[in-house]
Amino acid sequence: MARRPIRIAVLHFAHETVTFLKNDTTLDDFIYKGSPAKGEALLAHDPKSYMGGFVKVELVGIESPLWPKAGTGSGWITRDAYETFVGRMISELGASGPFDGVYLSLHGAMGVRGVLRPEAELARRVREVVGRGAFIVGTFDPHGNEDEEFLRQADMAFTVKYFPHYDSHLQGERAARMLVRAIRGDYKPATVTQRVPIISPTVLQWTGASPWMDLVQRALTWEAREPDVYVNFFFGFPFADVPDVGMTFQVMTNGNPALARRVADDMASAAWRQREALLGSAKVHTIPEGVALAKAAMARSATPVVLADHSDRSGSATWILKEIIEHDLSDVLIATVADARAIDALKANGVKAGDPFNMEVGGLVDESAGAPVRVQGTVLNAVEGYGQLWVVVKFGRGNVLVLSRYLVQVMEPGPLSALGLDVSAFKAFAIKSRVHFRRGFDDSGFAKTILLVEPVESFLGTVRLDGLPYQNVDLKKFYPYGEPQFP
Ligand SMILES: [Zn+2]
């Protein structure tokens, strides 16, 4: 008898929702050229990420929204946006079945108005359509907030282990392989989800430092010594005010619930033992402190220096720029200060290289952005790219400011050369990034000194989470804001 080919439906719905932002993520934010995508366009949309690893079996791309236009720069996803896309997914899934498996390409930190656990809810509705006979697998970002509910609805999950997220492609491959094995009866998922009452700001979660690195290694050790064991480590995303916020481990085994329990307990208690060190894994300076330390590092040639304002969620913050001007630093690249108004005005005036520049830039969008700062210099370059105009301004003693229209997280020095800059000419780089910059500035060996900074006030993005207006989370139930009993 000819064997019917395995059919797997593929759905994508991902966002890392900063619920404290005032601008909701609306239906319209998910609709743009290329999104929603279905069929081959969906399967090919991000070849270096999960889906690229996944596309090795016969797949049916169900129409799915790609990331919203605002990226991570928007708040709560509206109920309308969520229901519209999930509704369409579920009806297409029903109409194009039956399926042996469903792959959900997710993030895990999605916040939807009126839907408590949006990823688990999607899995629940998918289950209603495909039944218990089909297998459901999800891929996740380590910044997901997930509790027991997802694996109650779905069979398996695979989470990126490194931050920066180096292994998303690998996790996509695993998800594909394990889904096919489960469908063929070669893997019978027995899973455990274990929450750990630790909440941590994302800037501390770099897996290049202990003990974050040690927990990743511990998970890898379990995976290496026990065939068919997979350990997911959700660091959690504290900027979403959702009930399942915080740290979670998921363990998958091949039909061995006792082993899953043992590994989950081991991972959770290892994390709990290290809780103090987890919260102290990186030093975050005030901006004046950071700029003074940068100046000292430059004086002793410990360069290039990275000054990373990890907390700026709008991209418009001027705190570092102001301090650099006041301390008369030289040879610093500031990339970027986002200022839509300035960029639009410069564009309207036909800005070009060689123009004199004398403008107030940045600030204002909210209190965390600070006040505008006057910069006087010369336009070095004005470049259109990635859907925005970039204006490069030379000022002071060898300093360069890059103005952009939107928030830009500079992750690697190389691409800055597209703005006509010689990156080797700078002694310091003042950027807006929490951990992603480590990809190109730290893990690459580029920078000799790295300084994390944030303003004195507890603005959105701060490491002082008790400064945020949580409504759905009681911080006292989490270390370090309370002393919860664990295990
Ligand atoms: Zn992430």
Side-chain angles (χ1 to χ4, degrees):
M1 193 178 85
R3 195 149 90 167
R4 183 175 68 79
I6 291 172
R7 298 190 77 223
I8 294 174
V10 178
L11 288 70
H12 178 275
F13 205 177
H15 193 227
E16 183 179 271
T17 311
V18 180
T19 62
F20 297 106
L21 289 169
K22 295 198 166 50
N23 53 321
D24 279 6
T25 308
T26 64
L27 179 56
D28 181 58
D29 286 321
F30 289 100
I31 299 174
Y32 51 91
K33 193 170 183 309
S35 176
K38 64 186 297 182
E40 285 305 310
L42 176 66
L43 301 176
H45 90 279
D46 194 358
K48 287 184 82 174
S49 188
Y50 307 99
M51 245 183 237
F54 202 97
V55 199
K56 299 273 158 59
V57 290
E58 200 176 332
L59 305 173
V60 182
I62 302 293
E63 186 188 66
S64 302
L66 304 184
W67 275 71
K69 291 173 213 169
T72 54
S74 57
W76 289 106
I77 293 172
T78 62
R79 188 76 188 253
D80 172 45
Y82 182 80
E83 294 296 346
T84 300
F85 287 117
V86 172
R88 284 198 227 161
M89 286 169 170
I90 295 303
S91 69
E92 188 178 339
L93 206 56
S96 50
F99 291 102
D100 307 291
V102 179
Y103 166 47
L104 305 175
S105 171
L106 306 171
H107 180 288
M110 180 180 271
V112 179
R113 290 196 182 278
V115 181
L116 289 182
R117 292 166 180 81
E119 291 89 0
E121 174 61 15
L122 174 61
R124 189 187 68 77
R125 294 198 208 173
V126 167
R127 177 67 74 198
E128 278 179 358
V129 179
V130 299
R132 278 282 156 192
F135 288 88
I136 301 174
V137 64
T139 50
F140 288 91
D141 187 283
H143 298 109
N145 295 314
E146 293 298 323
D147 61 11
E148 297 78 1
E149 198 53 30
F150 184 80
L151 284 177
R152 211 169 270 151
Q153 305 299 338
D155 300 285
M156 293 181 286
F158 292 91
T159 303
V160 163
K161 283 189 171 60
Y162 299 92
F163 185 25
H165 311 68
Y166 294 121
D167 57 325
S168 45
H169 187 273
L170 173 69
Q171 301 306 334
E173 271 180 13
R174 279 185 164 179
R177 191 171 66 246
M178 299 314 292
L179 186 52
V180 170
R181 282 185 60 192
I183 291 166
R184 293 198 170 134
D186 183 39
Y187 194 85
K188 297 192 174 8
T191 65
V192 164
T193 300
Q194 181 62 54
R195 311 252 305 140
V196 183
I198 295 174
I199 193 165
S200 59
T202 47
V203 67
L204 301 185
Q205 299 168 350
W206 177 43
T207 55
S210 290
W212 295 92
M213 170 197 273
D214 309 325
L215 287 173
V216 170
Q217 183 57 38
R218 200 175 187 92
L220 292 171
T221 302
W222 275 118
E223 292 181 355
R225 66 187 263 185
E226 297 287 348
D228 287 345
V229 164
Y230 294 95
V231 180
N232 294 332
F233 178 15
F234 285 98
F235 317 150
F237 183 69
F239 303 113
D241 181 14
V242 295
D244 49 358
V245 74
M247 187 183 286
T248 297
F249 291 96
Q250 293 170 333
V251 180
M252 282 165 292
T253 62
N254 193 356
N256 191 339
L259 178 61
R261 182 76 265 166
R262 188 154 67 87
V263 176
D265 286 347
D266 173 71
M267 290 303 306
S269 58
W272 185 248
R273 284 196 300 276
Q274 301 270 22
R275 61 192 180 282
E276 198 178 333
L278 284 165
L279 268 293
S281 61
K283 171 81 183 143
V284 177
H285 304 278
T286 64
I287 287 174
E289 257 171 33
V291 171
L293 288 167
K295 200 171 179 175
M298 288 160 82
R300 61 171 196 274
S301 296
T303 55
V305 176
V306 172
L307 257 176
D309 179 359
H310 77 89
S311 69
D312 182 7
R313 289 268 165 186
S314 67
S316 302
T318 52
W319 309 100
I320 290 193
L321 175 62
K322 178 167 164 277
E323 207 71 28
I324 285 168
I325 292 173
E326 279 173 11
H327 282 77
D328 189 31
L329 262 57
S330 64
D331 308 303
V332 183
L333 175 68
I334 300 126
T336 72
V337 172
D339 188 333
R341 207 180 36 124
I343 287 288
D344 291 348
L346 287 161
K347 194 171 185 171
N349 292 331
V351 61
K352 60 182 187 311
D355 288 354
F357 186 94
N358 185 358
M359 269 180 107
E360 294 211 312
V361 299
L364 294 180
V365 291
D366 58 32
E367 57 175 8
S368 75
V373 169
R374 180 159 297 274
V375 172
Q376 275 179 273
T378 309
V379 175
L380 269 185
N381 212 344
V383 183
E384 284 281 359
Y386 299 98
Q388 59 175 320
L389 176 67
W390 309 69
V391 178
V392 183
V393 179
K394 189 171 189 277
F395 73 98
R397 297 181 297 125
N399 298 321
V400 168
L401 166 69
V402 179
L403 274 180
S404 59
R405 197 176 193 291
Y406 305 107
L407 162 72
V408 174
Q409 190 172 175
V410 174
M411 301 185 205
E412 303 189 59
L416 292 167
S417 57
L419 300 172
L421 296 168
D422 171 10
V423 292
S424 68
F426 297 100
K427 293 190 181 129
F429 294 79
I431 56 173
K432 313 285 181 68
S433 179
R434 282 168 293 287
V435 171
H436 288 293
F437 75 92
R438 306 236 183 219
R439 184 181 284 267
F441 288 90
D442 193 350
D443 293 341
S444 63
F446 179 85
K448 300 292 178 290
T449 304
I450 288 174
L451 297 160
L452 300 167
V453 295
E454 72 168 64
V456 184
E457 297 87 344
S458 298
F459 296 128
L460 173 57
T462 178
V463 294
R464 287 153 289 173
L465 301 177
D466 50 355
L468 298 175
Y470 287 103
Q471 291 178 351
N472 303 310
V473 175
D474 178 3
L475 281 185
K476 288 273 176 299
K477 293 186 173 154
F478 294 87
Y479 182 83
Y481 299 98
E483 262 301 337
Q485 286 302 306
F486 189 80

